[in-house]
């Protein structure tokens, strides 16, 4: 089966503003995110892609614009199933405010039971995203063969959920995975099992430098929505 190249969108204005954007319209890449997107074609230059699939949200479409400009024949598809988690009433709120909500601890420690008020559950998000991957795997293999590669541009929590599924991890473990802005994660699917080839590769080792402690100190919470990446 094909190789899936997962790309998280570049850094957005919501990331730098500490806001949980969710599906809010008009959330665009910030200056750094634009630079990250511009570097993506060179990072993927040696990877033959048969298709690109994107979340419908602006920040994902903007991330793929430079890549598509260098590959005018690459077909682009939009798939609602890989859009951002529907955070419902949490959308547009500051992350620093949300840490005081009782649901926050559930999202951190028992995400498989977390459902956002007025939105969807993390379990439902994972199900639709994995269904999308399985569907595109079958389509790409049918149209291009089992050694083909294709790209999906989506969101941090969606990528983490897909990776957890590929590794056979319960959704309750997905907060142990990170996906920085414009990071590349690659999964090769086979008849018997998936293989994780890359995880959160930004091509920028600055992301490995120690960062200031997050609120909570040791055992700090996972970045709901994916976080803003390296400063």
């Amino acid at each position: 089966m094909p190789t899936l190249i997962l790309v998280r969108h570049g850094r957005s204005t919501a990331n730098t503003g500490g806001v949980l954007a969710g599906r809010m319209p008009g959330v665009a890449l910030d200056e750094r995110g634009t630079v990250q997107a511009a570097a993506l074609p060179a990072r993927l230059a040696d990877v033959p892609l048969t298709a690109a699939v994107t979340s419908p949200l602006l920040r994902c479409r903007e991330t793929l614009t430079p890549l598509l400009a260098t590959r005018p024949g690459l077909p682009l598809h939009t798939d609602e199933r890989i859009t951002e988690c529907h955070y419902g009433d949490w959308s547009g709120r500051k992350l620093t405010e949300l840490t005081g909500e009782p649901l926050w601890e559930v999202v951190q420690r028992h995400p498989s039971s977390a459902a956002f008020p007025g939105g969807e559950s993390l379990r439902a998000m994972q199900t639709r995203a994995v269904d999308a991957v399985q569907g595109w795997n079958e389509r790409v293999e049918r149209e291009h063969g089992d050694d083909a590669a294709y790209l999906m541009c989506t969101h941090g929590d969606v990528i983490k959920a897909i990776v957890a599924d590929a590794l056979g991890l319960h959704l309750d473990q997905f907060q142990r995975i990170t996906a920085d802005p414009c990071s590349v994660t690659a999964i090769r699917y086979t008849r018997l099992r998936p293989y994780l080839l890359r995880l959160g590769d930004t091509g920028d080792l600055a992301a490995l430098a120690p960062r200031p402690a997050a609120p909570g100190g040791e055992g700090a919470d996972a970045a709901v929505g994916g976080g803003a990446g390296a400063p």
Side-chain angles (χ1 to χ4, degrees):
M1 296 182 73
T3 297
L4 168 61
I5 310 297
L6 285 164
V7 176
R8 185 183 168 201
H9 62 78
R11 197 174 74 176
S12 73
T13 53
N15 294 146
T16 48
V19 171
L20 187 62
R23 300 179 183 181
M24 292 169 53
V27 177
L29 300 183
D30 69 3
E31 184 176 353
R32 180 179 176 87
T34 301
V35 172
Q36 291 171 332
L40 191 60
R43 292 170 60 202
L44 294 174
D46 294 330
V47 182
L49 297 171
T50 60
V53 185
T54 183
S55 157
L57 296 181
L58 176 63
R59 53 196 183 272
C60 288
R61 292 186 282 111
E62 287 184 332
T63 299
L64 289 187
T65 296
L67 178 67
L68 295 171
T70 65
R71 303 194 190 199
L74 183 66
L76 176 66
H77 308 272
T78 300
D79 195 325
E80 294 277 353
R81 295 174 296 177
I82 61 168
T83 194
E84 179 64 285
C85 183
H86 186 4
Y87 296 115
D89 297 345
W90 279 28
S91 301
R93 294 180 59 188
K94 288 278 191 179
L95 291 167
T96 51
E97 298 174 3
L98 294 173
T99 57
E101 296 282 353
L103 180 60
W104 182 268
E105 186 175 13
V106 181
V107 171
Q108 295 296 320
R109 299 181 182 275
H110 191 21
S112 65
S113 71
F116 296 97
E120 71 178 332
S121 67
L122 288 170
R123 188 172 61 249
M125 178 269 290
Q126 183 185 47
T127 297
R128 62 171 166 81
V130 171
D131 284 349
V133 169
Q134 292 174 344
W136 279 103
N137 282 349
E138 293 170 4
R139 176 173 174 174
V140 170
E141 181 178 20
R142 183 174 64 251
E143 296 179 358
H144 302 283
D146 59 8
D147 59 349
Y150 71 104
L151 179 148
M152 278 187 173
C153 186
T154 181
H155 306 270
D157 280 350
V158 175
I159 291 171
K160 290 161 56 177
I162 291 171
V163 170
D165 174 78
L167 292 176
L169 296 177
H170 196 282
L171 183 60
D172 285 344
Q173 309 302 321
F174 101 126
Q175 297 290 28
R176 302 183 181 196
I177 300 165
T178 62
D180 278 348
C182 228
S183 62
V184 172
T185 294
I187 305 170
R188 185 174 73 243
Y189 288 86
T190 74
R191 185 174 63 87
L192 297 180
R193 65 180 64 86
Y195 291 90
L196 183 63
L197 307 179
R198 293 288 187 278
L199 177 61
D201 187 342
T202 63
D204 179 2
L205 295 180
L208 300 179
R211 304 183 190 181
E218 186 177 356
D221 293 338
V224 177

